[in-house]
Amino acid sequence: MLIQNARLSDGSAVDLRLAGGKIAAIGLSLAPESGEEVLNAAGRTLLPGFIDLHCHWRTPGFEYKEDIATGSAAAAAGGYTFVNLMPNTKPVCSSGEQAHAIMAQAEQIGLVGVNQTVSITENFDGKTLDHLKTLPEDLRFVTEDGNGVQSANVMAKAFAICSQRGITIMSHAEDREVSPWDYRLAENLETVRNLHLCEYYGTRLHMCHVSTREAIEAIAAAKSRGVPVTCEVTPHHLWFADSDYRVNPPIRTADDVAALIEGIRTGAVDAIATDHAPHSDEDKEKGAAGMVGLETAFAACYTKLCKEQGLELYLLEALMSRFPAAILGLDNKGRIAVGADADLTLVDLDAAWTVDKDKLHSKSHNCPYHGQTLAGRVVLTIRDGRITYKA
């Protein structure tokens, strides 16, 4: 495939040739080869395929909310070419066999590459760590989504094992004894605890959906000491303030939003991740926390960060592609370069569109952006040199 008349995030014009699932050539006025498919980008912006560090596809056990096929379609429609799935399924993903089965199903569908994380404690029981010692070498990320390890003793042992085995811990910081009466304190306390364990053991740590000023400041301070920690923020924690829409961690204050944006400017924030969390209407009415976000992430962030806050597009590109690729160890993804994987997203920066939850590809429609007009739209997604979504 030859992509002509595209622009990169810095505004420069470019043509790209894709062959064998890779970017084979980059230049200007590249001529089509015999029989080659030609795609005219018409001056729109070509970015590396987006990579989501934090996503729920609800398989197995909760397929009425989302399944791998609908999750894949939603991801492709949002410009994503790779996602990192959480283990809070039924049964909980606590083994290499379970993780490999999910990744194989996703690859069979073929729209999006997938890494399946494994639980820190077996079946989220809060104490059993033996499975971490025998995880296959290709499974390097563990987490306890929605069920943070409350015992400091158990978590210290988990950090020690993961340090020895080169496994990254992804922390959903919440002290669940505190959260019933103070969600802010619950996030801040467990953030500080896990940062200290990270520093003590030298274990790679990734802090998920950071939402408070205190948490991002603690992470920035740890980074300044050389602690091996990275962190993500979600589009909805950047977009909304003082809202009672139910997500976990909760929507915070305007001051917290300002702190997260400042963290992006200073480099304290490494990535933007969706925390795509589909729920049925019935479950949402019963108070289930979360929202779908794969299909609105780029537009919400482009509108908020680039159009309103004046951040450069190349920084948003890095937060959604290059930096997540580095965190996951995906050396050939997240960049536009000869030899890199042909995972690409074409966006129309001039397009304005109104979100309609009923037109999303996700099986669920819990979308607080419904009815809002956003700037910037994904018009085409390419994975491994094949078109996986076209608006």
Side-chain angles (χ1 to χ4, degrees), residues 212-253:
T212 70
R213 174 178 287 277
E214 297 90 346
I216 199 64
E217 288 177 349
I219 291 166
K223 285 187 168 192
S224 72
R225 300 194 303 271
V227 177
V229 59
T230 55
C231 76
E232 71 190 41
V233 298
T234 72
H236 52 272
H237 285 116
L238 296 171
W239 183 273
F240 297 101
D242 301 308
S243 168
D244 60 1
Y245 191 89
R246 181 92 166 88
V247 290
N248 191 17
I251 301 299
R252 304 296 189 181
T253 68

Side-chain angles (χ1 to χ4, degrees), residues 2-4 45 58 63 106 108 122 137 163 172 176 180 188 209 227 235 249 251 278 288 319 321 331 336 372:
L2 179 63
I3 303 174
Q4 293 182 321
T45 301
R58 306 304 190 197
E63 286 87 353
Q108 187 173 18
E122 191 168 357
E137 287 296 322
S163 178
H172 298 69
R176 299 182 76 194
N188 295 341
H209 52 39
V227 177
I251 301 299
L319 291 164
S321 300
D331 295 337
I336 295 178
Q372 298 201 36

